[in-house]
Amino acid sequence: MRSDYSKFLIKIMYNPQKTEKKWHKIWKAKKVYESKDFSTKPKKYVLVEFPYPSGAGLHTGHLRSYVASDVVSRYSRAKGFEVMYPFGWDAFGLPAENYALKMGVQPQVSTAKNIRNFKKQVNALGISFDWSREVNTTDPKYYKWTQWLFLQFYKAGLAYEAESMINWCPKDKTGLANEEVIDGKCDRCGTPVEKKMLRQWYLKITEYAQQLIDGLKDLDWPEPVKVQQANWIGRSEGAEIEFKITSEVGEGKATVFTTRPDTLYGATYLVLAPEHVLLEKLKPAIQNWTEVQKYIKKASNKTDLQRSALEKEKSGAELKGVYAINPATKKKVSVWIADYVLNTYGTGAIMAVPAHDQRDKQFAEKYELPIKQVIRDEIMINSGELNDLSTLQAKKKIIAKYGKLKIQYKLRDWVFSRQRYWGEPIPLIHCDKCGIVPVPEDQLPVILPKVKKYEPTGTGESPLAAIDSWVNVKCPKCSGAAKRETNTMPQWAGSSWYFLRYTDPKNTKRFADPENLKYWMPIDVYFGGMEHTTLHLLYSRFWNLFLYDQGLVPVKEPYTSRQPHGIILGPDGEKMSKSRGNVASPDQLVKQYGADTTRMFQMFLGPHEQTVSWNEEGIVGVHRFLQKTWAWVSENAALVKKGKTQDSSKAETLINKLIKKVTEDIEGVKFNTAISSFMEFINEVAAEKISKQSLQKFVIILAPFAPHLSEELWSLLGGKASVTLEAWPEYDQSKTVSATVQFVVQVNGKFRGNIEAPKSASQKDLEASAKALEAVTKAIGMASGEIKKIIFVPGRLINFVA
RNA sequence: GCCUGGGUGGUGGAAUUGGUAUACACGAGGGACUUAAAAUCCCUUGCUCGUAAGGGCUUGCGGGUUCGAUUCCCGCCCCAGGCACCA
């Protein structure tokens, strides 16, 4: 029998808008979400990526990880942890500056406004952030320490200046890191990236390539994320082999990198990258220099995108008059330049083995170069002393005799300067006499000057270079005339260490007190997007590793576990973007249905880590559930008040089952099924008698998902203060299953009926009654007619094989 | 091309170590209440043959193992994300 909610609902419809505001005030006044340093409780550091406060405000992508991390935070508090769940603003960078330019205001102004709006939206959702630890990367009190940390890199020799070809976005008019180039295009605006020779600051992330790979091993991260990051770092083991270069004019040498030293006997020509430094030296020996020069020029004009265009035909030019000696065969081979060899990887030179490499083969076929097979069925042939060896043995032998072992990484050093206004000034001073001089610590922060005009110049110079009064300073060392570094840091700077600042956000003496760091680090669970795997997640691990080596942080790895959320697609199944016009904002939903419904619907969409399409049609289902919940609890709260009530045995099973399921699902980040279980519970418990204790338990476990409604229900049940402060209920395992179960009866593995019996029933107990089922006798008759075998699974099924 | 995920009703998605496939929710259809609508409540809802009783089929496709396969094995196809002339 079902209880009829309809009359009841009309009387006391739950009004989320009113209730939610009320609780926001109470939470704030009672500081229920503020975390204490050095609490005696075990700590839990729950982190969600802090946002760039965009003008468009909160979107559903944010919602996904904010709500998920909020559930985990609330759950963890109830589980007895001292939970730190902080928030802040990653407000420097290109998007913020471009937005300000578009609005025709100062970035300081638009950023402050956007933050206010964002904060309002986040609070409207009832996310339990600890605002006492709020950080803002554009606050001088914060970026003082970003600059200080940069100087530690500089002093350790890990920040260096170099003039080289870098990725340049012609639209944003700034250099970009390798990680910011996606498909040959600017990560921010999608403009094809060009190459430009520029003086730039670099951070030596390559120094940590191996440690960054090694550190992944013990992390509790999803395997695909680890794999993706490891692939980006791109370790490969191989050998460097030296080739002698000869010509009529003179001799030289070229070193190649190969992962297949075993194929050395098959190396029938050599290829250099068009930018290879050796070319200048070889110039006098090259008989067709004009032709070669033409090719070099052509190659340099190509963008990365053009150069690596899919199935592009190979091209190159022979260096006539120049030869290399294959160290194994001692034979003269021709030397070429070709843009399929990259100057930035390995030594910028390869030995070409066309018989065993697809690219070399294409090239050899085009230019009619010799192709020599040296391996058949994994065994060496045509290879002199290597013949009949396995490829592995051959590799070892070649390395020992002709080369040396070499580990190569795809990772490049991090281009760390930007030619834009809205970023942390790099705290260095250029002095003609003393060279580069760090700004003394007591003069930090180097404040970003307020200026009217901050458009990018496009010349490769930062807009700051035009501010004479700011640029010209005295050298801290010799007091002579000197100039400030005018480039700013990339937007990834502030986010590379913000998680450390949260542990001690107001410290003016240090970036964070060692004791605070020791208490809170590492982060126990980190929520965020998949798109940061090879950006923020890599950069911040690098910073933390470096700081660990400097003795400044207590742990090597900052993020113990990582929970990436799936991408949210628009209702059209396309990736959400402003240009497609399919971006959803939660504001309207909060207004119409309330925060609790919006939060729960978001989680109900599908598994947290999976890509989901944002389709608002289903939201009414969650809304109905919460209304039913309201009606059910308040109806029973009234009964409870009148006198003592007991759980019916079914209700007792249901509540224990629910606590178990919800606990396990939160631990497993499976919110969608947790919510399904709540719905099932409400559907099934409606007609049952329920005790006050069970009602309270129910409200406590609902609170992480629907905190506002739960608070209201909690007071209705006579609870004091906040449901947030209540301990997570335990469940009784023995009461999570009912006494009898439905046994499945099968014939030849096919379902034929059910028998209800005690869970502990034996085969003997069931056999006769199962056999007696009409469907069973019939099915046995249709088969062989006799029972050959009986399979019995305790508590589950009985299967007759006929 | 390489590396990851993933393919289950009209839709989003469930399913313990191999044990009733399609939980939960949306949508749709029918009904109740209402002057009416909204809201709410009840029933039906994988496909298919059949008036019905009842039967057959079904987790991308094709095989295999098993009493029994969405789950394990082999071979394909398709979709999404990442990388991409990385030697």
Side-chain angles (χ1 to χ4, degrees):
Chain A
M1 203 192 87
R2 278 169 189 277
S3 142
D4 183 11
Y5 295 121
S6 55
K7 287 169 210 146
F8 206 73
L9 277 172
I10 291 160
K11 262 189 275 175
I12 47 150
M13 193 80 168
Y14 174 65
N15 180 339
Q17 288 75 16
K18 220 170 113 189
T19 311
E20 287 172 0
K21 279 209 185 89
K22 176 177 111 191
W23 286 103
H24 293 158
K25 273 186 203 153
I26 296 173
W27 291 336
K28 197 175 170 186
K30 293 195 175 164
K31 302 184 176 178
V32 285
Y33 304 126
E34 288 189 15
S35 44
K36 283 197 249 13
D37 300 326
F38 316 116
S39 157
T40 50
K41 290 188 215 169
K43 69 96 187 177
K44 191 158 208 171
Y45 188 172
V46 182
L47 186 63
V48 63
E49 285 169 1
F50 67 161
Y52 147 64
S54 84
L58 203 62
H59 60 73
T60 49
H62 296 117
L63 198 62
R64 201 151 177 82
S65 47
Y66 296 176
V67 171
S69 52
D70 187 48
V71 170
V72 170
S73 296
R74 290 174 179 275
Y75 166 75
S76 301
R77 285 188 200 102
K79 275 293 212 177
F81 289 97
E82 184 67 34
V83 172
M84 168 156 68
Y85 180 44
F87 203 58
W89 314 101
D90 188 17
F92 267 137
L94 272 180
E97 185 178 327
N98 288 342
Y99 176 79
L101 280 169
K102 207 175 104 194
M103 303 307 280
V105 296
Q106 297 295 304
Q108 287 87 342
V109 175
S110 56
T111 297
K113 194 178 155 202
N114 289 351
I115 287 175
R116 276 198 301 278
N117 179 45
F118 232 93
K119 198 166 177 175
K120 207 172 108 192
Q121 288 182 302
V122 167
N123 281 331
L125 283 161
I127 309 289
S128 63
F129 288 131
D130 173 359
W131 289 105
S132 72
R133 294 177 189 265
E134 182 178 0
V135 301
N136 177 347
T137 55
T138 66
D139 181 347
K141 291 201 271 303
Y142 180 91
Y143 71 68
K144 169 181 178 170
W145 297 107
T146 311
Q147 292 175 334
W148 185 85
L149 290 165
F150 173 84
L151 288 180
Q152 307 313 304
F153 281 96
Y154 179 76
K155 287 171 185 167
L158 290 177
Y160 66 94
E161 200 182 15
E163 171 119 8
S164 63
M165 279 289 192
I166 60 145
N167 302 304
W168 175 265
C169 174
K171 188 168 175 236
D172 286 329
K173 295 175 182 162
T174 182
L176 297 172
N178 214 21
E179 286 78 12
E180 291 171 297
V181 181
I182 311 290
D183 282 335
K185 293 174 196 150
C186 172
D187 177 33
R188 287 297 161 198
C189 65
T191 309
V193 165
E194 293 169 2
K195 290 282 166 192
K196 191 164 181 158
M197 199 66 172
L198 261 190
R199 181 188 68 85
Q200 291 287 314
W201 281 94
Y202 289 84
L203 288 190
K204 232 185 224 173
I205 189 170
T206 52
E207 186 117 341
Y208 280 83
Q210 190 57 51
Q211 286 194 61
L212 286 165
I213 292 175
D214 294 342
L216 288 172
K217 200 176 67 225
D218 301 322
L219 297 179
D220 179 22
W221 289 18
E223 212 49 39
V225 177
K226 288 202 221 181
V227 168
Q228 199 182 315
Q229 205 175 89
N231 286 347
W232 180 262
I233 299 167
R235 177 194 157 105
S236 42
E237 249 172 72
E240 279 187 357
I241 298 173
E242 208 170 84
F243 280 63
K244 200 182 264 176
I245 306 282
T246 68
S247 74
E248 286 175 12
V249 184
E251 291 199 336
K253 56 186 180 179
T255 306
V256 304
F257 173 73
T258 177
T259 54
R260 298 297 306 274
D262 47 321
T263 62
L264 181 57
Y265 277 85
T268 52
Y269 62 101
L270 217 66
V271 190
L272 309 179
E275 304 88 357
H276 202 286
V277 284
L278 203 56
L279 286 168
E280 247 340 277
K281 267 193 221 160
L282 292 175
K283 194 172 159 183
I286 299 169
Q287 292 157 5
N288 57 336
W289 178 249
T290 332
E291 191 196 331
V292 169
Q293 202 178 16
K294 217 168 119 190
Y295 184 80
I296 295 171
K297 204 163 175 196
K298 209 174 99 195
S300 74
N301 283 337
K302 288 182 192 171
T303 64
D304 264 7
L305 209 58
Q306 291 166 329
R307 203 164 148 165
S308 67
L310 206 70
E311 286 177 278
K312 187 204 69 163
E313 209 183 311
K314 301 272 176 295
S315 69
E318 186 175 2
L319 307 182
K320 289 193 174 138
V322 175
Y323 297 93
I325 309 291
N326 181 321
T329 62
K330 311 282 190 258
K331 279 188 186 144
K332 255 184 168 180
V333 297
S334 55
V335 181
W336 295 71
I337 58 167
D339 64 7
Y340 82 92
V341 174
L342 307 173
N343 198 39
T344 44
Y345 184 76
T347 60
I350 62 153
M351 62 176 212
V353 186
H356 303 287
D357 182 284
Q358 195 54 39
R359 295 151 301 179
D360 296 343
K361 192 177 166 191
Q362 276 177 29
F363 193 80
E365 279 170 351
K366 181 168 173 185
Y367 293 102
E368 294 175 349
L369 293 160
I371 299 174
K372 182 183 168 192
Q373 196 184 340
V374 290
I375 298 168
R376 187 186 293 140
D377 304 324
E378 299 299 301
I379 298 296
M380 305 309 299
I381 54 166
N382 298 329
S383 296
E385 80 267 29
L386 302 179
N387 283 342
D388 301 327
L389 293 181
S390 71
T391 53
L392 194 74
Q393 289 167 317
K395 255 182 205 171
K396 283 183 187 159
K397 215 160 173 180
I398 292 287
I399 294 172
K401 202 165 169 187
Y402 303 106
K404 62 172 194 219
L405 200 72
K406 173 81 184 173
I407 311 290
Q408 193 66 50
Y409 301 92
K410 283 193 212 172
L411 188 70
R412 320 251 176 99
D413 274 342
W414 177 6
V415 175
F416 199 70
S417 43
R418 298 291 179 275
Q419 294 68 52
R420 296 285 299 231
Y421 169 72
W422 192 235
E424 302 88 344
I426 291 177
L428 293 172
I429 289 167
H430 299 264
C431 171
D432 285 342
K433 235 199 270 171
C434 314
I436 292 164
V437 183
V439 172
E441 277 181 31
D442 59 8
Q443 288 171 34
L444 294 178
V446 175
I447 302 267
L448 182 67
K450 280 198 180 144
V451 287
K452 280 225 172 80
K453 232 174 90 82
Y454 58 91
E455 281 86 356
T457 62
T459 60
E461 281 258 46
S462 156
L464 292 177
I467 312 167
D468 290 338
S469 60
W470 184 78
V471 171
N472 294 310
V473 287
K474 275 186 186 160
C475 170
K477 241 185 192 167
C478 69
S479 298
K483 285 182 189 301
R484 283 190 193 281
E485 168 65 47
T486 57
N487 281 328
T488 54
M489 298 189 203
Q491 79 163 130
W492 309 105
S495 60
S496 290
W497 72 280
Y498 76 115
F499 49 91
L500 302 171
R501 187 66 177 171
Y502 282 142
T503 67
D504 192 11
K506 296 191 174 79
N507 197 324
T508 53
K509 302 271 186 303
R510 297 164 179 272
F511 69 94
D513 191 276
E515 288 303 312
N516 289 55
L517 286 167
K518 209 170 140 196
Y519 178 74
W520 288 112
M521 290 297 288
I523 291 144
D524 296 276
V525 50
Y526 192 18
F527 287 83
M530 201 62 191
E531 70 276 14
H532 285 132
T533 302
T534 55
L535 285 160
H536 161 65
L537 226 48
L538 184 68
Y539 293 150
S540 53
R541 283 186 64 223
F542 163 50
W543 275 48
N544 192 81
L545 263 174
F546 165 71
L547 296 175
Y548 177 79
D549 283 352
Q550 297 291 307
L552 294 169
V553 297
V555 292
K556 258 188 166 174
E557 288 292 337
Y559 317 120
T560 306
S561 82
R562 169 81 177 170
Q563 292 296 341
H565 64 80
I567 306 165
I568 302 201
L569 305 174
D572 49 1
E574 297 283 328
K575 202 167 174 171
M576 277 198 187
S577 74
K578 260 192 250 167
S579 56
R580 283 203 188 84
N582 60 355
V583 177
S585 151
D587 284 5
Q588 183 51 37
L589 297 181
V590 173
K591 207 172 152 194
Q592 193 174 345
Y593 298 101
D596 288 335
T597 299
T598 306
R599 292 164 58 108
M600 274 189 120
F601 170 60
Q602 160 62 46
M603 288 180 278
F604 190 57
L605 276 177
H608 182 70
E609 72 289 350
Q610 195 177 297
T611 305
V612 290
S613 286
W614 182 258
N615 191 332
E616 287 171 18
E617 269 188 0
I619 197 167
V620 292
V622 174
H623 190 64
R624 283 174 193 152
F625 159 74
L626 288 174
Q627 291 292 355
K628 275 195 234 175
T629 300
W630 168 256
W632 177 69
V633 177
S634 35
E635 196 176 7
N636 280 287
L639 293 176
V640 163
K641 241 181 206 166
K642 277 184 208 154
K644 274 200 171 169
T645 45
Q646 293 281 317
D647 287 324
S648 71
S649 82
K650 192 180 168 190
E652 190 179 43
T653 307
L654 286 174
I655 188 73
N656 277 287
K657 209 165 85 180
L658 182 69
I659 296 168
K660 179 177 154 76
K661 174 76 174 152
V662 171
T663 307
E664 287 170 357
D665 277 355
I666 294 177
E667 298 271 0
V669 198
K670 283 153 67 176
F671 307 124
N672 56 329
T673 50
I675 294 169
S676 298
S677 314
F678 275 117
M679 290 171 168
E680 276 173 86
F681 175 84
I682 285 292
N683 289 343
E684 286 175 40
V685 83
E688 301 297 320
K689 278 211 169 74
I690 189 109
S691 68
K692 185 177 174 183
Q693 287 72 22
S694 292
L695 285 167
Q696 286 181 326
K697 284 178 187 173
F698 171 82
V699 171
I700 294 168
I701 63 171
L702 181 66
F705 300 88
H708 312 86
L709 176 72
S710 302
E711 289 281 25
E712 200 62 18
L713 292 174
W714 184 251
S715 15
L716 213 63
L717 289 167
K720 299 273 177 299
S722 166
V723 69
T724 300
L725 305 169
E726 295 301 316
W728 195 257
E730 300 290 330
Y731 58 89
D732 183 341
Q733 177 68 37
S734 68
K735 284 175 182 156
T736 56
V737 281
S738 39
T740 62
V741 291
Q742 294 282 322
F743 275 79
V744 173
V745 183
Q746 296 181 336
V747 175
N748 290 335
K750 214 167 165 155
F751 174 78
R752 292 296 168 188
N754 283 118
I755 293 180
E756 184 158 334
K759 199 175 184 318
S760 56
S762 69
Q763 180 177 333
K764 260 188 198 154
D765 297 338
L766 292 175
E767 206 177 309
S769 47
K771 243 187 276 185
L773 288 175
E774 202 192 323
V776 173
T777 19
K778 213 169 140 189
I780 292 170
M782 297 258 285
S784 66
E786 55 173 316
I787 296 164
K788 291 173 187 154
K789 199 171 151 192
I790 298 172
I791 288 161
F792 177 75
V793 182
R796 242 178 223 291
L797 68 79
I798 181 161
N799 181 16
F800 299 98
V801 183

